[in-house]
Amino acid sequence: MIRFEPRTQPSPLLRIVIPIASALAALLLSIIVLALTGAPAGRAIGLLVAGAAGSVFALTETLTRATPLILTGLAAAVAFRSRLWNIGAEGQLYAGALAAVAIGSGAIAGPPWLMMPLVCLAGALAGGLLMLGPALLKAKLAVDEVVTTLLLNFVVLLFVQMMLEGPLKDPMGMGWPQSAPVLDEAALPKLVVQMRLHAGLIVALLAALFIAFLQRATVLGFEMRAVGGNASAAGFAGIPVAATLVKTGFISGALAGLAGSGEVAGLKGYLTSDLSPGFGYAGIVVAMLAALEPLAVVPAAIFIAGIFVGADTMSRSLGVSNYFADLVVALSLLSVLVGSLFLRYRLKRVGIA
């Protein structure tokens, strides 16, 4: 007979192997689905890889797509580590983008050298402040943050649409619901000439390093991990649980808001209601694939971004639906959930008495 037995402490190697195996399992299952549709699975995967990393253009597009995913993945990882289930990164991203374009389009005059950091700071503050409400409700009244953060996504998107049809509407936009463009001095510089990759990638990588340092080398990081491990025990030990949850929520929202400001100031140049194709929700998959480890969020985000970018090439060449990328992402999440079971438990064969 075989039974599950809890692991006392998963090995570091197992923590690395499980997410990688989960990603490979998701790809394998996706290949099976492709084969069942009659598509040449081998050629499809080849096109997927080539579309994601087969040229300088493809690689820069993948990194461009990964930039907001790193930040929303970090937002989810930080919150989930403390058992604060932030499902509102999408709304926080839009709040950050709205604040960034309000500052960056010239609403507030300032020295040119200050505009770029001011835009990033405005986006981070907007996202962080938006998450403060659900975090306070969770900490003080035990209100389910899954519901509040999820519903805020729709509230924020409707508010953004209202602002784009009203005060922030570009008078030179020929009637389209879009904001005025970000000024040149507020825009993030390009990293590769004639490519879309911008300095937001550097910001995202620095954010990953900062969160890793915060969690492993600071008192707040210890408190965040303790609250996530057992909030009751943490409170009994003297850790301010409510304050820790509120701080965690602000940091999580600020990371998602920073993703929004990067998309506006680094990539698109102005705000529209379709700025994000679901970066906030995909960030949850990235965080789970990374096992909530900040530094592992970076390769996880690049993997998910590569799937989305490569699927576009595969779709154009073979006529396969680009929803194939959504299938891989969904299977990745399911594979990670199954993998986490084997991270916490081991199979043990026992004899029958």
Side-chain angles (χ1 to χ4, degrees), residues 141-161:
L141 301 175
V143 176
D144 188 352
E145 71 277 18
V146 172
V147 175
T148 52
T149 54
L150 180 61
L151 293 181
L152 270 176
N153 288 337
F154 304 102
V155 174
V156 172
L157 186 55
L158 288 171
F159 181 73
V160 167
Q161 291 173 343

Side-chain angles (χ1 to χ4, degrees), residues 68-69 71-73 75-76 86-98 126-127 130-131 149-158 160 252-253 255-261 263 271-284:
L69 288 176
L71 291 167
T72 55
N86 179 14
I87 315 297
E90 186 80 355
Q92 292 145 23
L93 182 149
Y94 272 102
L98 187 65
L130 182 65
M131 185 56 194
T149 54
L150 180 61
L151 293 181
L152 270 176
N153 288 337
F154 304 102
V155 174
V156 172
L157 186 55
L158 288 171
V160 167
S252 176
L255 289 165
L258 193 57
S261 63
E263 287 299 282
L271 176 60
T272 59
S273 60
D274 61 349
L275 176 73
S276 168
F279 290 133
Y281 301 110
I284 296 173

Side-chain angles (χ1 to χ4, degrees), residues 291-304:
L292 307 185
E293 292 293 337
L295 295 181
V297 162
V298 176
I302 293 173
F303 169 74
I304 295 297

Side-chain angles (χ1 to χ4, degrees), residues 23 27 48-49 51-53 58-74 197 201-202 204-205 208 279 282-283 285-287 289-290 294-311 325 328-329 332:
L27 281 175
L48 182 74
V49 173
L59 187 57
T60 57
E61 283 299 299
T62 295
L63 293 175
T64 301
R65 191 73 173 259
T67 298
L69 288 176
I70 293 172
L71 291 167
T72 55
L74 288 171
L197 184 63
L201 176 63
I202 297 175
L205 295 177
F279 290 133
V285 181
V286 170
L289 200 58
L295 295 181
V297 162
V298 176
I302 293 173
F303 169 74
I304 295 297
I307 293 298
F308 278 111
V309 173
V328 176
V329 170
S332 297

Side-chain angles (χ1 to χ4, degrees), residues 263-347:
E263 287 299 282
V264 164
L267 183 62
K268 200 161 187 178
Y270 54 89
L271 176 60
T272 59
S273 60
D274 61 349
L275 176 73
S276 168
F279 290 133
Y281 301 110
I284 296 173
V285 181
V286 170
M288 297 300 292
L289 200 58
L292 307 185
E293 292 293 337
L295 295 181
V297 162
V298 176
I302 293 173
F303 169 74
I304 295 297
I307 293 298
F308 278 111
V309 173
D312 290 337
T313 300
M314 183 186 68
S315 176
R316 289 193 299 269
S317 300
L318 295 181
V320 176
S321 172
N322 56 9
Y323 284 109
F324 174 78
D326 297 304
L327 174 66
V328 176
V329 170
L331 288 174
S332 297
L333 180 57
L334 290 174
S335 299
V336 165
L337 293 176
V338 173
S340 65
L341 177 68
F342 291 99
L343 195 61
R344 297 175 57 190
Y345 298 92
R346 62 164 55 92
L347 291 174

